[in-house]
Amino acid sequence: MSGSNEPADLARQMREKAQQLAEAAERATDPQERERLEKKSRTIRDRSEQQSGMAAGDIYPQK
């Protein structure tokens, strides 16, 4: 039964990575690097929300 929490664990890991990227973006001094990190953070955060929805059984991710 170790696989029962895999989607929730994946979503949590994705949220943590998104937070790390957002923090790195705040520290970045180069505007282009900051924008790249912010965009990547948003993308991962959006995917984690979709993953959470799928783990909860919601077949229609929120837009």
Side-chain angles (χ1 to χ4, degrees):
M1 296 244 306
S2 65
S4 64
N5 283 335
E6 285 180 18
D9 289 341
L10 179 59
R12 180 187 49 78
Q13 290 171 353
M14 291 170 76
R15 284 190 302 272
E16 289 174 1
K17 181 65 175 177
Q19 182 62 36
Q20 291 170 355
L21 289 168
E23 290 170 0
E26 289 176 7
R27 292 188 303 269
T29 56
D30 179 38
Q32 290 178 331
E33 179 70 2
R34 178 177 291 149
E35 179 62 31
R36 184 186 71 79
L37 291 169
E38 288 172 347
K39 183 177 181 182
K40 191 169 185 178
S41 173
R42 283 191 303 268
T43 300
I44 292 173
R45 186 167 284 123
D46 290 346
R47 287 183 185 164
S48 76
E49 289 173 5
Q50 277 188 323
Q51 185 70 30
S52 293
M54 288 190 300
D58 184 3
I59 62 170
Y60 300 107
Q62 293 182 346
K63 294 181 181 179

Short mmCIF file of all heavy atoms in Angstrom, two decimals:
data_model
loop_
_atom_site.label_atom_id
_atom_site.label_comp_id
_atom_site.label_asym_id
_atom_site.label_seq_id
_atom_site.Cartn_x
_atom_site.Cartn_y
_atom_site.Cartn_z
N MET A 1 0.81 -1.20 0.00
CA MET A 1 0.00 0.00 0.00
C MET A 1 0.86 1.26 0.00
O MET A 1 0.38 2.33 0.27
CB MET A 1 -0.92 0.00 1.22
CG MET A 1 -1.92 -1.11 1.22
SD MET A 1 -3.63 -0.66 1.14
CE MET A 1 -3.93 0.46 2.44
N SER A 2 2.12 1.13 -0.30
CA SER A 2 2.99 2.31 -0.30
C SER A 2 2.64 3.26 -1.43
O SER A 2 2.99 4.43 -1.37
CB SER A 2 4.45 1.88 -0.40
OG SER A 2 4.68 1.26 -1.65
N GLY A 3 1.94 2.79 -2.45
CA GLY A 3 1.61 3.64 -3.58
C GLY A 3 0.39 4.52 -3.37
O GLY A 3 0.08 5.35 -4.20
N SER A 4 -0.29 4.38 -2.25
CA SER A 4 -1.54 5.11 -2.06
C SER A 4 -1.33 6.61 -1.89
O SER A 4 -2.22 7.39 -2.19
CB SER A 4 -2.30 4.56 -0.85
OG SER A 4 -1.55 4.76 0.32
N ASN A 5 -0.17 7.04 -1.42
CA ASN A 5 0.08 8.46 -1.21
C ASN A 5 0.97 9.07 -2.27
O ASN A 5 1.35 10.24 -2.15
CB ASN A 5 0.70 8.70 0.17
CG ASN A 5 -0.31 8.63 1.28
OD1 ASN A 5 -1.50 8.86 1.05
ND2 ASN A 5 0.13 8.30 2.47
N GLU A 6 1.32 8.32 -3.30
CA GLU A 6 2.24 8.83 -4.31
C GLU A 6 1.77 10.12 -4.97
O GLU A 6 2.55 11.06 -5.08
CB GLU A 6 2.55 7.75 -5.34
CG GLU A 6 3.48 6.70 -4.81
CD GLU A 6 3.79 5.63 -5.82
OE1 GLU A 6 3.57 5.86 -7.03
OE2 GLU A 6 4.26 4.56 -5.42
N PRO A 7 0.51 10.23 -5.43
CA PRO A 7 0.09 11.50 -6.04
C PRO A 7 0.17 12.68 -5.06
O PRO A 7 0.61 13.77 -5.44
CB PRO A 7 -1.36 11.23 -6.47
CG PRO A 7 -1.43 9.75 -6.63
CD PRO A 7 -0.51 9.20 -5.56
N ALA A 8 -0.21 12.46 -3.82
CA ALA A 8 -0.14 13.53 -2.83
C ALA A 8 1.31 13.90 -2.54
O ALA A 8 1.64 15.08 -2.40
CB ALA A 8 -0.84 13.11 -1.55
N ASP A 9 2.18 12.90 -2.46
CA ASP A 9 3.61 13.17 -2.23
C ASP A 9 4.21 13.93 -3.39
O ASP A 9 4.99 14.86 -3.19
CB ASP A 9 4.38 11.86 -2.01
CG ASP A 9 4.07 11.20 -0.68
OD1 ASP A 9 3.55 11.90 0.23
OD2 ASP A 9 4.33 10.00 -0.55
N LEU A 10 3.85 13.54 -4.60
CA LEU A 10 4.35 14.24 -5.79
C LEU A 10 3.90 15.69 -5.80
O LEU A 10 4.69 16.60 -6.05
CB LEU A 10 3.88 13.53 -7.06
CG LEU A 10 4.33 14.16 -8.38
CD1 LEU A 10 5.85 14.24 -8.47
CD2 LEU A 10 3.76 13.39 -9.55
N ALA A 11 2.65 15.93 -5.48
CA ALA A 11 2.13 17.30 -5.43
C ALA A 11 2.86 18.11 -4.37
O ALA A 11 3.21 19.27 -4.60
CB ALA A 11 0.62 17.28 -5.15
N ARG A 12 3.12 17.52 -3.22
CA ARG A 12 3.84 18.22 -2.15
C ARG A 12 5.27 18.56 -2.59
O ARG A 12 5.74 19.67 -2.38
CB ARG A 12 3.88 17.35 -0.88
CG ARG A 12 4.62 18.02 0.28
CD ARG A 12 4.79 17.07 1.46
NE ARG A 12 5.32 15.77 1.11
CZ ARG A 12 6.60 15.51 0.85
NH1 ARG A 12 7.49 16.47 0.89
NH2 ARG A 12 7.00 14.29 0.55
N GLN A 13 5.93 17.60 -3.22
CA GLN A 13 7.29 17.85 -3.70
C GLN A 13 7.31 18.96 -4.75
O GLN A 13 8.22 19.79 -4.76
CB GLN A 13 7.88 16.57 -4.28
CG GLN A 13 8.18 15.51 -3.24
CD GLN A 13 8.56 14.18 -3.86
OE1 GLN A 13 8.50 13.99 -5.08
NE2 GLN A 13 8.97 13.24 -3.02
N MET A 14 6.31 18.97 -5.60
CA MET A 14 6.23 20.00 -6.63
C MET A 14 6.02 21.37 -6.00
O MET A 14 6.62 22.36 -6.43
CB MET A 14 5.12 19.67 -7.63
CG MET A 14 5.43 18.46 -8.49
SD MET A 14 4.02 17.90 -9.46
CE MET A 14 3.99 19.13 -10.74
N ARG A 15 5.16 21.46 -4.98
CA ARG A 15 4.95 22.73 -4.28
C ARG A 15 6.23 23.23 -3.61
O ARG A 15 6.53 24.42 -3.65
CB ARG A 15 3.83 22.60 -3.24
CG ARG A 15 2.43 22.58 -3.85
CD ARG A 15 1.36 22.70 -2.79
NE ARG A 15 1.42 21.65 -1.79
CZ ARG A 15 0.81 20.47 -1.90
NH1 ARG A 15 0.08 20.20 -2.96
NH2 ARG A 15 0.90 19.58 -0.94
N GLU A 16 6.97 22.29 -3.02
CA GLU A 16 8.23 22.66 -2.38
C GLU A 16 9.23 23.21 -3.41
O GLU A 16 9.90 24.21 -3.16
CB GLU A 16 8.83 21.47 -1.65
CG GLU A 16 8.07 21.08 -0.39
CD GLU A 16 8.58 19.80 0.24
OE1 GLU A 16 9.55 19.20 -0.28
OE2 GLU A 16 8.00 19.38 1.26
N LYS A 17 9.31 22.55 -4.56
CA LYS A 17 10.21 23.00 -5.62
C LYS A 17 9.78 24.37 -6.13
O LYS A 17 10.63 25.25 -6.36
CB LYS A 17 10.23 21.97 -6.77
CG LYS A 17 11.15 22.33 -7.90
CD LYS A 17 12.59 22.33 -7.44
CE LYS A 17 13.52 22.57 -8.61
NZ LYS A 17 14.93 22.66 -8.20
N ALA A 18 8.50 24.58 -6.29
CA ALA A 18 7.99 25.87 -6.75
C ALA A 18 8.35 26.97 -5.75
O ALA A 18 8.74 28.07 -6.14
CB ALA A 18 6.47 25.81 -6.96
N GLN A 19 8.25 26.66 -4.46
CA GLN A 19 8.60 27.63 -3.42
C GLN A 19 10.09 27.95 -3.48
O GLN A 19 10.49 29.12 -3.37
CB GLN A 19 8.22 27.09 -2.03
CG GLN A 19 8.52 28.06 -0.91
CD GLN A 19 7.75 29.35 -1.01
OE1 GLN A 19 6.60 29.37 -1.44
NE2 GLN A 19 8.37 30.44 -0.63
N GLN A 20 10.92 26.95 -3.67
CA GLN A 20 12.37 27.17 -3.78
C GLN A 20 12.70 28.07 -4.96
O GLN A 20 13.54 28.97 -4.86
CB GLN A 20 13.11 25.84 -3.92
CG GLN A 20 13.08 24.99 -2.68
CD GLN A 20 13.62 23.60 -2.92
OE1 GLN A 20 13.94 23.23 -4.05
NE2 GLN A 20 13.73 22.81 -1.86
N LEU A 21 12.03 27.83 -6.08
CA LEU A 21 12.27 28.65 -7.27
C LEU A 21 11.80 30.08 -7.06
O LEU A 21 12.45 31.03 -7.50
CB LEU A 21 11.57 28.03 -8.49
CG LEU A 21 12.20 26.75 -9.01
CD1 LEU A 21 11.27 26.07 -10.01
CD2 LEU A 21 13.55 27.03 -9.64
N ALA A 22 10.67 30.25 -6.38
CA ALA A 22 10.17 31.59 -6.10
C ALA A 22 11.14 32.36 -5.21
O ALA A 22 11.40 33.55 -5.42
CB ALA A 22 8.79 31.51 -5.45
N GLU A 23 11.70 31.67 -4.23
CA GLU A 23 12.68 32.30 -3.34
C GLU A 23 13.95 32.66 -4.11
O GLU A 23 14.53 33.72 -3.89
CB GLU A 23 12.99 31.39 -2.16
CG GLU A 23 11.81 31.26 -1.21
CD GLU A 23 12.01 30.19 -0.16
OE1 GLU A 23 13.07 29.52 -0.15
OE2 GLU A 23 11.08 30.00 0.66
N ALA A 24 14.38 31.77 -5.01
CA ALA A 24 15.56 32.05 -5.82
C ALA A 24 15.30 33.26 -6.73
O ALA A 24 16.19 34.08 -6.95
CB ALA A 24 15.94 30.83 -6.66
N ALA A 25 14.08 33.37 -7.23
CA ALA A 25 13.73 34.50 -8.09
C ALA A 25 13.81 35.81 -7.31
O ALA A 25 14.28 36.82 -7.85
CB ALA A 25 12.32 34.32 -8.67
N GLU A 26 13.40 35.78 -6.06
CA GLU A 26 13.47 36.98 -5.23
C GLU A 26 14.91 37.43 -5.01
O GLU A 26 15.18 38.62 -4.91
CB GLU A 26 12.80 36.73 -3.87
CG GLU A 26 11.30 36.62 -3.96
CD GLU A 26 10.67 36.28 -2.62
OE1 GLU A 26 11.40 36.27 -1.59
OE2 GLU A 26 9.46 36.02 -2.60
N ARG A 27 15.82 36.47 -4.94
CA ARG A 27 17.23 36.79 -4.70
C ARG A 27 17.98 37.14 -5.99
O ARG A 27 19.07 37.71 -5.93
CB ARG A 27 17.93 35.60 -4.03
CG ARG A 27 17.45 35.35 -2.61
CD ARG A 27 18.30 34.29 -1.93
NE ARG A 27 18.34 33.02 -2.66
CZ ARG A 27 17.50 32.01 -2.46
NH1 ARG A 27 16.55 32.11 -1.57
NH2 ARG A 27 17.62 30.89 -3.14
N ALA A 28 17.43 36.77 -7.14
CA ALA A 28 18.12 36.99 -8.41
C ALA A 28 18.27 38.48 -8.69
O ALA A 28 17.35 39.26 -8.50
CB ALA A 28 17.35 36.31 -9.54
N THR A 29 19.46 38.85 -9.14
CA THR A 29 19.71 40.26 -9.47
C THR A 29 19.50 40.54 -10.95
O THR A 29 19.21 41.68 -11.32
CB THR A 29 21.16 40.64 -9.08
OG1 THR A 29 22.06 39.76 -9.74
CG2 THR A 29 21.35 40.56 -7.58
N ASP A 30 19.60 39.50 -11.77
CA ASP A 30 19.39 39.66 -13.22
C ASP A 30 17.89 39.59 -13.52
O ASP A 30 17.25 38.58 -13.20
CB ASP A 30 20.15 38.57 -13.96
CG ASP A 30 19.96 38.64 -15.47
OD1 ASP A 30 19.92 39.77 -16.01
OD2 ASP A 30 19.84 37.58 -16.10
N PRO A 31 17.32 40.62 -14.13
CA PRO A 31 15.87 40.62 -14.41
C PRO A 31 15.42 39.43 -15.27
O PRO A 31 14.34 38.88 -15.05
CB PRO A 31 15.64 41.94 -15.14
CG PRO A 31 16.79 42.80 -14.77
CD PRO A 31 17.95 41.88 -14.51
N GLN A 32 16.22 39.04 -16.24
CA GLN A 32 15.84 37.91 -17.09
C GLN A 32 15.84 36.60 -16.31
O GLN A 32 14.95 35.77 -16.48
CB GLN A 32 16.77 37.81 -18.30
CG GLN A 32 16.57 38.93 -19.30
CD GLN A 32 17.54 38.83 -20.46
OE1 GLN A 32 18.64 38.32 -20.32
NE2 GLN A 32 17.10 39.32 -21.61
N GLU A 33 16.83 36.44 -15.45
CA GLU A 33 16.90 35.24 -14.62
C GLU A 33 15.72 35.23 -13.63
O GLU A 33 15.10 34.19 -13.41
CB GLU A 33 18.23 35.20 -13.86
CG GLU A 33 18.38 34.02 -12.94
CD GLU A 33 18.55 32.69 -13.65
OE1 GLU A 33 18.59 32.65 -14.90
OE2 GLU A 33 18.64 31.67 -12.96
N ARG A 34 15.41 36.37 -13.07
CA ARG A 34 14.27 36.47 -12.15
C ARG A 34 12.97 36.06 -12.85
O ARG A 34 12.19 35.27 -12.32
CB ARG A 34 14.14 37.89 -11.61
CG ARG A 34 12.95 38.07 -10.69
CD ARG A 34 12.89 39.46 -10.12
NE ARG A 34 14.03 39.59 -9.20
CZ ARG A 34 14.66 40.73 -8.97
NH1 ARG A 34 14.30 41.84 -9.55
NH2 ARG A 34 15.66 40.77 -8.12
N GLU A 35 12.75 36.58 -14.05
CA GLU A 35 11.54 36.25 -14.80
C GLU A 35 11.49 34.76 -15.14
O GLU A 35 10.44 34.12 -15.03
CB GLU A 35 11.47 37.09 -16.08
CG GLU A 35 10.26 36.78 -16.94
CD GLU A 35 8.93 37.06 -16.25
OE1 GLU A 35 8.87 37.97 -15.41
OE2 GLU A 35 7.95 36.35 -16.56
N ARG A 36 12.62 34.19 -15.52
CA ARG A 36 12.68 32.76 -15.86
C ARG A 36 12.32 31.91 -14.64
O ARG A 36 11.51 30.97 -14.74
CB ARG A 36 14.08 32.40 -16.36
CG ARG A 36 14.22 30.97 -16.84
CD ARG A 36 15.65 30.63 -17.18
NE ARG A 36 16.49 30.52 -16.01
CZ ARG A 36 16.52 29.46 -15.20
NH1 ARG A 36 15.76 28.41 -15.44
NH2 ARG A 36 17.32 29.44 -14.15
N LEU A 37 12.89 32.26 -13.50
CA LEU A 37 12.60 31.50 -12.28
C LEU A 37 11.15 31.67 -11.84
O LEU A 37 10.52 30.70 -11.39
CB LEU A 37 13.55 31.94 -11.16
CG LEU A 37 15.02 31.54 -11.35
CD1 LEU A 37 15.89 32.26 -10.33
CD2 LEU A 37 15.19 30.04 -11.26
N GLU A 38 10.61 32.87 -11.95
CA GLU A 38 9.22 33.09 -11.58
C GLU A 38 8.28 32.29 -12.47
O GLU A 38 7.31 31.69 -12.00
CB GLU A 38 8.88 34.57 -11.66
CG GLU A 38 9.50 35.40 -10.56
CD GLU A 38 9.31 36.89 -10.75
OE1 GLU A 38 8.91 37.33 -11.84
OE2 GLU A 38 9.57 37.63 -9.77
N LYS A 39 8.58 32.28 -13.77
CA LYS A 39 7.74 31.53 -14.71
C LYS A 39 7.79 30.04 -14.41
O LYS A 39 6.75 29.36 -14.40
CB LYS A 39 8.19 31.80 -16.14
CG LYS A 39 7.35 31.13 -17.19
CD LYS A 39 7.80 31.50 -18.58
CE LYS A 39 6.92 30.82 -19.62
NZ LYS A 39 7.36 31.13 -20.98
N LYS A 40 8.98 29.53 -14.15
CA LYS A 40 9.12 28.11 -13.85
C LYS A 40 8.39 27.76 -12.55
O LYS A 40 7.73 26.73 -12.45
CB LYS A 40 10.60 27.75 -13.75
CG LYS A 40 10.88 26.29 -13.69
CD LYS A 40 12.36 26.00 -13.87
CE LYS A 40 12.60 24.51 -13.92
NZ LYS A 40 14.01 24.20 -14.15
N SER A 41 8.48 28.65 -11.57
CA SER A 41 7.79 28.44 -10.30
C SER A 41 6.28 28.38 -10.51
O SER A 41 5.60 27.50 -9.97
CB SER A 41 8.14 29.57 -9.33
OG SER A 41 7.38 29.48 -8.16
N ARG A 42 5.74 29.31 -11.29
CA ARG A 42 4.29 29.32 -11.57
C ARG A 42 3.87 28.05 -12.29
O ARG A 42 2.83 27.46 -11.97
CB ARG A 42 3.92 30.54 -12.41
CG ARG A 42 3.86 31.83 -11.63
CD ARG A 42 3.23 32.95 -12.44
NE ARG A 42 3.93 33.20 -13.70
CZ ARG A 42 4.91 34.07 -13.87
NH1 ARG A 42 5.34 34.79 -12.85
NH2 ARG A 42 5.47 34.24 -15.05
N THR A 43 4.66 27.62 -13.25
CA THR A 43 4.33 26.41 -14.02
C THR A 43 4.28 25.19 -13.10
O THR A 43 3.32 24.41 -13.16
CB THR A 43 5.37 26.18 -15.14
OG1 THR A 43 5.36 27.31 -16.01
CG2 THR A 43 5.07 24.92 -15.93
N ILE A 44 5.28 25.05 -12.26
CA ILE A 44 5.31 23.90 -11.35
C ILE A 44 4.17 23.98 -10.34
O ILE A 44 3.53 22.97 -10.03
CB ILE A 44 6.67 23.81 -10.64
CG1 ILE A 44 7.76 23.44 -11.67
CG2 ILE A 44 6.65 22.78 -9.51
CD1 ILE A 44 9.16 23.47 -11.13
N ARG A 45 3.88 25.18 -9.84
CA ARG A 45 2.78 25.33 -8.89
C ARG A 45 1.44 24.95 -9.55
O ARG A 45 0.61 24.27 -8.95
CB ARG A 45 2.72 26.76 -8.36
CG ARG A 45 1.70 26.93 -7.26
CD ARG A 45 1.84 28.23 -6.52
NE ARG A 45 2.98 28.14 -5.61
CZ ARG A 45 4.03 28.98 -5.62
NH1 ARG A 45 4.09 29.97 -6.46
NH2 ARG A 45 5.01 28.83 -4.78
N ASP A 46 1.24 25.38 -10.79
CA ASP A 46 0.01 25.02 -11.51
C ASP A 46 -0.10 23.51 -11.68
O ASP A 46 -1.17 22.93 -11.50
CB ASP A 46 -0.04 25.70 -12.87
CG ASP A 46 -0.25 27.20 -12.79
OD1 ASP A 46 -0.63 27.70 -11.70
OD2 ASP A 46 -0.02 27.88 -13.81
N ARG A 47 1.01 22.88 -12.03
CA ARG A 47 0.99 21.42 -12.19
C ARG A 47 0.71 20.71 -10.88
O ARG A 47 0.02 19.70 -10.85
CB ARG A 47 2.31 20.94 -12.78
CG ARG A 47 2.48 21.28 -14.23
CD ARG A 47 3.76 20.73 -14.77
NE ARG A 47 3.98 21.16 -16.14
CZ ARG A 47 5.15 21.08 -16.76
NH1 ARG A 47 6.20 20.59 -16.14
NH2 ARG A 47 5.28 21.49 -17.99
N SER A 48 1.26 21.25 -9.79
CA SER A 48 1.02 20.62 -8.49
C SER A 48 -0.45 20.72 -8.10
O SER A 48 -1.00 19.81 -7.50
CB SER A 48 1.90 21.24 -7.40
OG SER A 48 1.44 22.50 -7.00
N GLU A 49 -1.10 21.83 -8.46
CA GLU A 49 -2.52 21.98 -8.18
C GLU A 49 -3.33 20.97 -8.99
O GLU A 49 -4.29 20.38 -8.48
CB GLU A 49 -2.98 23.40 -8.47
CG GLU A 49 -2.45 24.40 -7.46
CD GLU A 49 -2.75 25.84 -7.82
OE1 GLU A 49 -3.46 26.08 -8.82
OE2 GLU A 49 -2.27 26.73 -7.10
N GLN A 50 -2.93 20.75 -10.23
CA GLN A 50 -3.61 19.74 -11.04
C GLN A 50 -3.41 18.35 -10.43
O GLN A 50 -4.34 17.56 -10.36
CB GLN A 50 -3.07 19.73 -12.47
CG GLN A 50 -3.68 20.77 -13.36
CD GLN A 50 -3.23 20.59 -14.80
OE1 GLN A 50 -2.09 20.23 -15.07
NE2 GLN A 50 -4.13 20.85 -15.71
N GLN A 51 -2.18 18.09 -10.01
CA GLN A 51 -1.87 16.79 -9.40
C GLN A 51 -2.69 16.59 -8.14
O GLN A 51 -3.22 15.51 -7.91
CB GLN A 51 -0.37 16.71 -9.09
CG GLN A 51 0.08 15.37 -8.56
CD GLN A 51 0.04 14.29 -9.61
OE1 GLN A 51 0.20 14.53 -10.78
NE2 GLN A 51 -0.21 13.07 -9.18
N SER A 52 -2.84 17.62 -7.34
CA SER A 52 -3.64 17.53 -6.12
C SER A 52 -5.09 17.23 -6.45
O SER A 52 -5.74 16.43 -5.78
CB SER A 52 -3.56 18.83 -5.32
OG SER A 52 -2.28 19.03 -4.82
N GLY A 53 -5.60 17.87 -7.49
CA GLY A 53 -6.98 17.63 -7.92
C GLY A 53 -7.18 16.21 -8.37
O GLY A 53 -8.19 15.57 -8.04
N MET A 54 -6.22 15.69 -9.10
CA MET A 54 -6.33 14.30 -9.56
C MET A 54 -6.24 13.34 -8.38
O MET A 54 -6.94 12.34 -8.33
CB MET A 54 -5.25 13.99 -10.59
CG MET A 54 -5.51 14.66 -11.92
SD MET A 54 -4.44 14.13 -13.27
CE MET A 54 -2.82 14.54 -12.66
N ALA A 55 -5.38 13.65 -7.41
CA ALA A 55 -5.25 12.79 -6.24
C ALA A 55 -6.53 12.77 -5.42
O ALA A 55 -6.87 11.77 -4.81
CB ALA A 55 -4.08 13.25 -5.37
N ALA A 56 -7.25 13.90 -5.45
CA ALA A 56 -8.50 13.99 -4.70
C ALA A 56 -9.67 13.40 -5.48
O ALA A 56 -10.79 13.36 -4.98
CB ALA A 56 -8.79 15.45 -4.35
N GLY A 57 -9.42 12.99 -6.71
CA GLY A 57 -10.47 12.39 -7.51
C GLY A 57 -11.24 13.39 -8.36
O GLY A 57 -12.24 13.04 -8.97
N ASP A 58 -10.77 14.62 -8.42
CA ASP A 58 -11.43 15.64 -9.24
C ASP A 58 -10.93 15.49 -10.68
O ASP A 58 -9.77 15.75 -10.97
CB ASP A 58 -11.09 17.03 -8.71
CG ASP A 58 -11.83 18.14 -9.45
OD1 ASP A 58 -12.63 17.82 -10.35
OD2 ASP A 58 -11.59 19.32 -9.12
N ILE A 59 -11.80 15.07 -11.57
CA ILE A 59 -11.37 14.84 -12.95
C ILE A 59 -11.33 16.10 -13.77
O ILE A 59 -10.84 16.11 -14.87
CB ILE A 59 -12.24 13.77 -13.65
CG1 ILE A 59 -13.70 14.23 -13.73
CG2 ILE A 59 -12.12 12.44 -12.95
CD1 ILE A 59 -14.56 13.36 -14.60
N TYR A 60 -11.86 17.19 -13.23
CA TYR A 60 -11.86 18.47 -13.94
C TYR A 60 -10.99 19.47 -13.19
O TYR A 60 -11.44 20.10 -12.24
CB TYR A 60 -13.28 19.03 -14.08
CG TYR A 60 -14.19 18.10 -14.85
CD1 TYR A 60 -15.17 17.36 -14.21
CD2 TYR A 60 -14.04 17.93 -16.22
CE1 TYR A 60 -15.99 16.51 -14.91
CE2 TYR A 60 -14.85 17.07 -16.93
CZ TYR A 60 -15.83 16.36 -16.28
OH TYR A 60 -16.63 15.50 -16.97
N PRO A 61 -9.71 19.61 -13.58
CA PRO A 61 -8.85 20.56 -12.89
C PRO A 61 -9.38 21.98 -13.00
O PRO A 61 -9.96 22.36 -14.03
CB PRO A 61 -7.50 20.42 -13.58
CG PRO A 61 -7.69 19.52 -14.72
CD PRO A 61 -9.07 18.95 -14.68
N GLN A 62 -9.19 22.76 -11.96
CA GLN A 62 -9.64 24.14 -11.97
C GLN A 62 -8.79 24.95 -12.92
O GLN A 62 -7.61 24.72 -13.07
CB GLN A 62 -9.56 24.74 -10.58
CG GLN A 62 -10.54 24.11 -9.63
CD GLN A 62 -10.47 24.76 -8.26
OE1 GLN A 62 -9.55 25.47 -7.95
NE2 GLN A 62 -11.48 24.49 -7.46
N LYS A 63 -9.42 25.95 -13.54
CA LYS A 63 -8.70 26.79 -14.49
C LYS A 63 -8.31 28.08 -13.86
O LYS A 63 -8.88 28.59 -12.98
CB LYS A 63 -9.55 27.06 -15.71
CG LYS A 63 -9.83 25.79 -16.49
CD LYS A 63 -10.64 26.08 -17.71
CE LYS A 63 -10.92 24.80 -18.46
NZ LYS A 63 -11.70 24.97 -19.61
#
